[in-house]
């Protein structure tokens, strides 16, 4: 092969810039991997390791995967803890002079996934940046696939704070400056996160602040509440830089930073989280059997992710808790309203992830169709929840932007049967664009003419077995069997010879063929352009769309908590600032579900700052001691996420921390 050496040289140059990733090098319909990458990937992917002639150097290891099926393979590499750099041909091989230009267009890492096939629908996929500025750790947590971007900072003196946050967020990947790498690796050793060291300059607060301001197009971070939190800003800057480097996109869906403070939430350490089995069980490490499992009746993936967040981050401020309880109660009281609302949610798409894909440039026509359908539901959602007499829900939807213009644009633009790829045409409805309509018309007319040709030519030539057909290489043809060749008219021109037939074309057929193929090619190109234009149009409404997504997610969770409260017979807790927990006929939310109905024996609890400061619980093995202790903790925790609780009555004095070692 003549080009082999220049191609390998190109490969080596690109690989040198992406040493820590497996480089998928596009060659025609395949992604190829070479040398060490090939050896690693062949093992993980269970594909054949071959070799390729590298000229003077002899043969080098290589393996390949078909481009159309790449995402499954990429998922496995990521699962195995590798990063993957995608190197594409960035010019048309037909038009290239010499070697085709290639560039890395995207780097996929565990903490930067946006491809739906690589993500768990009900789980966030967090990347965490950890910075050190002065005596503070700064933390930035972001899920690129949903646009969540949160920051905080806290004193380094209490390293347990960092450990607790690591277990709370469970990031897939952690960015740290090299000098912090060892420390963080030690603190994060019980999490499965991949640790990615980054250059110290990316954690430099001034540079980070500038990068963030430039991205969010603001002059200061005041509006996000973190202008003076140097450590938090440093961490966020590093996260943003990493996203920019790996995605090579503008990331418009990262619209804001949200500053949070550890003091706003109940503090739960790793052992407490595990012991209370909040989102997964101790024994099997799975969701079934956890508190999340009992509570989760969410309809949308957005709701499922948010419910998990609420459970992992119970509130401490009474007003916020009451606000949630108020809304849960509104849904609780109005069965009809809850039912219809949950029915509507069934047709709501995963807006958050869709918007992320929109801004990373990977959204497809079907997803925009789904977006249009979701928007079409909004007027009814607003009207329905507006009927709530308590006004708790009405208020939630008061500012819901219906985006009527975008909605009617999308629903009238995209065909019901639109394909998953924007590069195949057949995306847009008739009437969307005059030029496109003309091309479609031309194709139809051409095809109709050809459809009539067979009958016409059979009549003209008297050959009953004459056929009109099409193939990719030779285009349209008229086929005549050898036996009938004598009857072929003089205007037939030979195109192809088969074993027992000849294929012909006529000047007229050629004309229609050019018309059809030309129109189709132009149509596909035009539809692609129109799609990019439409995508841009949707991006204009991104802030409103993000708001719609978060309102729908929240309503889904609130309606879910109400639904669960009804189904499981929970009561609304009374939240106080007293040092007092009084529970009448409390139950363990999970154990009561696992036992046959009615078998769980409810128990009372009274704890206060005076005569009931302590309980000593004794009993034989398997008497229910641990269950009782966990039940009290869970009831308090449920109350503080804004849920109803499994009891006849519950008065909960707010707590700031729960400890358990059962
Ligand atoms: N209030 C209850 N009503 C009915 N069944 C219960 C109740 N509490 C616990 N159980 C059942 O009893 C089993 C044992 O409960 P638990 O583990 O809490 O007991 P324990 O007293 O902590 O036991 P050990 O002494 O072995 O630690 C549970 O798995 C559950 O099925
Ligand atoms: Mg026990």
């Amino acid at each position: 092969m003549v080009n082999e050496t220049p191609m390998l040289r190109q490969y080596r140059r690109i690989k040198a810039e992406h040493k820590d990733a497996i480089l998928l090098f596009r060659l025609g319909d395949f992604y190829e991997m070479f040398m060490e990458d090939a050896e690693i990937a062949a093992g993980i992917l269970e594909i054949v390791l071959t070799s390729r002639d590298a000229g003077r150097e002899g043969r080098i290891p290589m393996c390949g995967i078909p481009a159309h099926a790449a995402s499954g393979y990429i998922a496995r590499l990521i699962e195995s803890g590798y990063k993957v750099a995608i190197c594409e041909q960035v010019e048309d091989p037909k038009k290239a002079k010499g070697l085709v230009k290639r560039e890395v267009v995207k780097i996929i890492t565990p903490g930067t996934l946006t491809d739906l096939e690589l993500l768990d629908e009900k789980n966030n996929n967090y990347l965490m940046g950890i910075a050190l500025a002065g005596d503070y750790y700064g933390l930035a947590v972001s899920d690129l696939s949903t646009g969540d971007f949160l920051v905080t900072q806290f004193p380094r003196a209490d390293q347990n704070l960092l450990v607790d946050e690591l277990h709370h967020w469970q990031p897939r990947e952690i960015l740290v400056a090299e000098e912090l790498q060892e420390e963080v690796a030690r603190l994060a050793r019980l999490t499965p996160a991949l640790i990615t060291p980054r250059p110290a300059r990316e954690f430099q607060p001034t540079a980070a602040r500038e990068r963030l301001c430039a991205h969010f197009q603001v002059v200061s971070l005041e509006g996000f509440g973190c202008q003076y939190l140097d450590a938090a800003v440093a961490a966020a800057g590093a996260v943003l830089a990493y996203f920019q480097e790996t995605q090579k996109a503008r990331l418009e869906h990262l619209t804001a930073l949200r500053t949070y403070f550890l003091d706003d939430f109940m503090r739960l350490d790793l052992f407490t989280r595990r012991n209370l089995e909040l989102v997964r069980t101790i024994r099997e490490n799975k969701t079934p059997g956890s508190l999340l499992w009992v509570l989760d009746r969410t309809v949308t993936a957005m709701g499922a992710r948010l419910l998990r967040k609420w459970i992992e981050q119970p509130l401490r401020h009474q007003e916020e808790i009451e606000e949630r309880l108020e809304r849960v109660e509104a849904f609780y009281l109005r069965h009809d309203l809850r039912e219809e609302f949950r029915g509507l949610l069934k047709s709501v798409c995963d807006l958050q992830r869709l918007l992320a894909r929109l801004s990373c440039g990977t959204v497809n026509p079907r997803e925009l169709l789904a977006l249009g359908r979701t928007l079409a539901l909004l007027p009814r959602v607003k009207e329905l929840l507006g009927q709530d007499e308590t006004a708790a829900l009405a208020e939630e939807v008061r500012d819901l932007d219906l985006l009527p213009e975008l909605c009617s644009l999308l629903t009238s633009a995209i065909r019901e049967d639109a394909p998953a790829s924007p590069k195949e045409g057949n995306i847009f409805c008739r009437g969307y664009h005059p030029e496109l309509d003309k091309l479609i018309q031309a194709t139809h007319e051409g095809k109709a003419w050809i459809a009539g040709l067979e009958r016409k030519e059979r009549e003209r030539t008297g050959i009953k077995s004459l056929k009109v057909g099409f193939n990719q290489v030779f285009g349209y043809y008229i086929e005549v069997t050898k036996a009938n060749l004598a009857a072929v008219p003089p205007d037939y021109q030979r195109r192809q010879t088969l074993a027992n037939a000849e294929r012909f074309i006529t000047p007229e057929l050629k004309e229609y063929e050019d018309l059809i193929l030309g129109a189709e090619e132009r149509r596909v190109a035009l539809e692609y352009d129109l799609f990019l234009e439409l995508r841009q149009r949707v991006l204009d409404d991104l802030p409103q769309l993000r708001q719609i997504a978060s309102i729908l997610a929240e309503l889904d969770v609130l309606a879910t908590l109400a639904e669960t409260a009804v189904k499981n017979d929970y009561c609304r807790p009374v939240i106080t600032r007293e040092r007092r927990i009084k529970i009448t006929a409390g139950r363990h939310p999970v154990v009561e579900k696992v036992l046959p109905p009615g078998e769980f024996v409810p128990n009372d609890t009274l704890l206060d700052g005076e005569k009931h400061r302590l309980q000593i619980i004794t009993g034989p093995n398997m008497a229910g001691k641990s269950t009782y202790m966990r039940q009290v903790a869970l009831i308090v925790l449920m109350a503080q996420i804004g849920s109803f609780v499994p009891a006849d009555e519950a008065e909960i004095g707010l707590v700031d921390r729960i400890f358990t070692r059962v």
Side-chain angles (χ1 to χ4, degrees):
M1 224 191 192
V2 188
N3 277 341
E4 192 149 65
T5 308
M7 192 210 72
L8 271 177
R9 202 178 306 136
Q10 182 188 42
Y11 174 84
R12 286 224 164 80
R13 180 177 55 74
I14 296 173
K15 176 66 196 176
E17 289 164 18
H18 298 93
K19 287 200 187 91
D20 64 341
I22 292 187
L23 184 65
L24 298 192
F25 194 72
R26 185 69 179 256
L27 272 181
D29 292 335
F30 279 78
Y31 288 114
E32 303 288 0
M33 288 155 275
F34 298 110
M35 295 173 266
E36 199 190 334
D37 284 357
E39 284 163 358
I40 295 170
I44 295 170
L45 303 177
E46 295 164 359
I47 53 177
V48 183
L49 185 67
T50 58
S51 65
R52 181 184 181 105
D53 189 3
R56 273 176 288 129
E57 300 160 57
R59 302 191 72 82
I60 54 167
M62 123 172 181
C63 64
I65 53 176
H68 68 88
S71 63
Y73 290 108
I74 293 172
R76 281 163 69 184
L77 293 173
I78 300 288
E79 277 302 315
S80 308
Y82 289 93
K83 298 173 190 170
V84 176
I86 311 282
C87 177
E88 294 287 358
Q89 298 172 171
V90 292
E91 63 181 343
D92 189 340
K94 282 183 219 136
K95 293 178 190 146
K97 289 199 198 97
L99 191 61
V100 183
K101 252 198 219 124
R102 291 187 175 81
E103 268 170 30
V104 169
V105 296
K106 190 173 185 173
I107 303 163
I108 304 174
T109 80
T112 58
L113 303 178
T114 54
D115 189 339
L116 300 182
E117 288 181 47
L118 306 182
L119 287 163
D120 173 3
E121 171 180 83
K122 292 189 156 200
N123 244 319
N124 276 100
N125 192 73
Y126 291 117
L127 173 77
M128 181 184 277
I130 302 178
L132 189 62
D135 298 329
Y136 287 87
Y137 281 127
L139 223 65
V141 188
S142 183
D143 182 344
L144 186 66
S145 74
T146 62
D148 292 345
F149 200 167
L150 298 106
V151 293
T152 192
Q153 68 177 48
F154 43 81
R156 187 193 197 184
D158 185 356
Q159 293 210 321
N160 282 331
L161 289 173
L162 179 55
V163 174
D164 291 351
E165 279 306 274
L166 283 165
H167 289 289
H168 161 210
W169 295 106
Q170 300 273 338
R172 283 283 298 275
E173 187 176 356
I174 299 173
L175 309 180
V176 282
E178 278 140 13
E179 69 256 26
L180 259 187
Q181 194 179 350
E182 225 170 274
E183 176 172 333
V184 167
R186 181 168 50 78
L187 298 174
R189 73 186 180 282
L190 293 179
T191 76
L194 172 76
I195 296 191
T196 300
R198 300 288 295 163
R201 67 186 136 77
E202 290 190 356
F203 293 87
Q204 207 277 319
T206 314
R209 189 172 282 114
E210 274 167 23
R211 185 185 288 276
L212 292 163
C213 287
H215 172 82
F216 294 116
Q217 299 177 1
V218 290
V219 288
S220 100
L221 301 176
E222 195 93 60
F224 304 133
C226 55
Q227 172 72 1
Y228 303 106
L229 306 180
D230 270 2
V233 167
V239 166
L240 180 62
Y242 191 61
F243 282 157
Q244 289 169 335
E245 180 180 315
T246 54
Q247 303 305 302
K248 308 187 191 296
R250 282 192 37 217
L251 309 172
E252 283 135 310
H253 69 299
L254 298 178
T255 48
L257 282 173
R258 228 181 68 215
T259 305
Y260 73 101
F261 297 98
L262 298 187
D263 286 348
D264 293 339
F265 303 102
M266 192 191 280
R267 186 162 166 200
L268 299 167
D269 62 33
L270 166 65
F271 300 100
T272 305
R273 286 177 192 281
R274 276 202 191 151
N275 250 310
L276 295 180
E277 307 193 292
L278 297 183
V279 296
R280 60 183 79 85
T281 54
I282 302 178
R283 223 184 275 167
E284 304 211 333
N285 203 25
K286 296 216 173 89
T287 302
S290 67
L291 178 64
L292 174 62
W293 169 73
V294 172
L295 296 184
D296 190 1
R297 290 167 196 266
T298 52
V299 182
T300 66
M302 299 188 284
R305 294 192 298 265
L306 184 63
L307 174 62
R308 178 186 284 256
K309 272 186 237 178
W310 283 16
I311 292 175
E312 301 222 64
Q313 218 174 25
L315 302 172
R316 279 180 56 186
H317 299 300
Q318 185 169 8
E319 303 70 41
E320 277 179 84
I321 298 170
E322 297 284 7
E323 197 178 82
R324 284 188 191 169
L325 285 170
E326 207 58 44
R327 292 171 183 187
V328 172
E329 180 161 8
F331 272 125
Y332 179 89
L333 295 173
R334 286 288 302 270
H335 171 81
D336 55 332
L337 191 147
R338 188 174 76 243
E339 193 92 323
E340 186 183 340
F341 175 64
R342 286 167 57 81
L344 289 170
L345 283 180
K346 285 191 186 130
S347 313
V348 165
C349 63
D350 192 340
L351 254 181
Q352 292 166 335
R353 289 207 161 143
L354 190 151
L355 297 177
R357 291 164 53 70
L358 183 75
S359 107
C360 292
T362 48
V363 81
N364 71 43
R366 272 188 214 158
E367 288 172 305
L368 288 193
L369 180 67
L371 173 61
R373 288 188 178 145
T374 296
L375 293 179
L377 300 170
L378 297 182
R380 179 61 191 150
V381 167
K382 194 163 182 167
E383 181 186 31
L384 183 68
L385 301 189
Q387 295 167 5
D388 160 41
E389 299 79 13
T390 67
L393 299 174
E395 200 180 314
E396 180 100 349
V397 291
R398 201 189 47 216
D399 298 330
L400 186 68
D401 206 324
L402 303 179
L403 298 177
E405 205 190 311
L406 181 65
C407 177
S408 68
L409 175 65
L410 287 173
T411 43
S412 66
I414 301 184
R415 287 165 53 147
E416 295 280 311
D417 60 350
S421 159
K423 292 186 176 162
E424 294 168 9
N426 293 320
I427 302 169
F428 292 98
C429 300
R430 287 285 185 105
Y432 179 65
H433 193 266
E435 171 73 22
L436 180 62
D437 282 350
K438 271 193 216 143
L439 292 172
I440 295 174
Q441 184 66 17
T443 319
H444 279 280
E445 278 168 12
K447 286 192 171 160
W449 183 85
I450 285 174
L453 183 68
E454 195 169 271
R455 188 182 39 80
K456 220 167 64 194
E457 290 301 300
R458 279 183 186 173
E459 273 169 23
R460 176 158 84 105
T461 60
I463 308 172
K464 291 215 172 51
S465 62
L466 178 146
K467 277 194 303 205
V468 173
F470 177 81
N471 81 26
Q472 287 294 342
V473 183
F474 293 98
Y476 286 98
Y477 55 78
I478 299 170
E479 187 175 299
V480 178
T481 56
K482 290 249 159 83
N484 291 306
L485 284 182
V488 163
D491 60 332
Y492 276 28
Q493 299 160 10
R494 184 161 301 147
R495 236 187 191 185
Q496 192 189 3
T497 303
L498 303 179
N500 49 14
E502 295 277 340
R503 287 177 174 174
F504 300 92
I505 186 138
T506 64
E508 212 184 1
L509 178 55
K510 180 88 188 92
E511 230 168 80
Y512 276 99
E513 177 183 281
D514 290 347
L515 177 84
I516 293 169
L517 298 183
E520 270 181 357
E521 195 173 311
R522 291 216 308 280
R523 169 184 174 173
V524 167
L526 177 61
E527 290 208 51
Y528 185 63
D529 288 346
L530 291 173
F531 182 73
L532 296 186
E533 221 171 77
L534 182 62
R535 207 168 75 181
Q536 193 52 47
R537 165 67 189 85
V538 181
L539 273 174
D540 293 343
D541 286 332
L542 197 80
Q544 294 92 314
L545 287 166
R546 280 191 56 80
Q547 197 204 0
I548 292 168
S550 72
I551 292 176
L552 290 176
E554 186 163 329
L555 286 168
D556 187 11
V557 176
L558 295 165
T560 288
L561 292 176
E563 180 79 12
T564 304
V566 171
K567 291 272 152 60
N568 295 355
D569 196 18
Y570 293 171
C571 74
R572 176 172 173 170
V574 176
I575 307 291
T576 74
R577 290 200 177 89
E578 311 295 317
R579 288 181 69 179
R580 193 173 135 94
I581 294 172
K582 184 168 185 294
I583 299 167
T584 311
R587 287 122 48 202
H588 187 297
V590 180
V591 175
E592 76 161 341
K593 278 275 144 193
V594 178
L595 293 175
E599 293 227 340
F600 192 92
V601 181
N603 286 295
D604 297 344
T605 304
L606 175 61
L607 287 163
D608 62 27
E610 288 145 31
K611 292 204 174 125
H612 306 91
R613 296 171 64 118
L614 178 77
Q615 286 191 7
I616 297 175
I617 301 159
T618 62
N621 290 352
M622 292 292 279
K625 303 180 294 292
S626 304
T627 304
Y628 179 73
M629 286 195 289
R630 289 201 185 99
Q631 155 188 326
V632 176
L634 285 172
I635 288 176
V636 171
L637 186 138
M638 287 170 75
Q640 291 190 219
I641 69 171
S643 169
F644 283 24
V645 299
D648 287 354
E649 277 173 52
E651 186 190 318
I652 308 293
L654 289 171
V655 313
D656 55 359
R657 223 171 148 174
I658 294 177
F659 299 88
T660 58
R661 292 286 187 285
V662 184

